[in-house]
Amino acid sequence: MHNLWIPVVAIFAVAGLVFGSQAYSEAKRDAHIAAIISESLDSQAPAEISHLQRVNKGYGVCGDYKLSGAESGHFYYNSATKRLALGTDAPLYHDNCEGVAN
């Protein structure tokens, strides 16, 4: 019976590491996107991002941003090319986020 617990514990440990690192990676990506939006808009305050939707097999993110002022809008970020598009008029946003349900 002792020999059965070792593989079970090992499986749970590996699963915890995989899912934990994925959650950490997504949080880090979200913070990076918020910082890039703030920098692009010359804002000292960090942007708040919401309604995130993964697109392009996980390489792109569509969502909404809001600054501490009244400014808000939509964005698209491509994690492979590190390109950011702000606003629904931007060609990258139009090509990747139109028709994506938020």
Side-chain angles (χ1 to χ4, degrees):
M1 186 69 171
H2 240 307
N3 293 337
L4 179 64
W5 285 105
I6 294 172
V8 170
V9 170
I11 289 170
F12 280 116
V14 169
L17 286 173
V18 168
F19 291 115
S21 66
Q22 182 178 0
Y24 175 75
S25 176
E26 287 182 9
K28 189 175 174 182
R29 179 204 63 202
D30 294 351
H32 178 68
I33 293 170
I36 289 176
I37 291 172
S38 295
E39 183 180 311
S40 296
L41 298 173
D42 294 325
S43 174
Q44 298 298 327
E48 295 179 30
I49 57 176
S50 60
H51 303 108
L52 302 179
Q53 193 75 7
R54 293 173 62 181
V55 295
N56 299 338
K57 299 180 183 179
Y59 289 107
V61 178
C62 296
D64 300 333
Y65 72 89
K66 182 172 176 35
L67 294 174
S68 60
E71 189 168 356
S72 64
H74 304 287
F75 73 90
Y76 168 74
Y77 179 74
N78 186 317
S79 59
T81 62
K82 309 288 189 227
R83 293 183 64 191
L84 174 70
L86 296 175
T88 56
D89 295 336
L92 279 175
Y93 181 87
H94 181 71
D95 292 344
N96 295 287
C97 299
E98 292 249 326
V100 174
N102 283 339

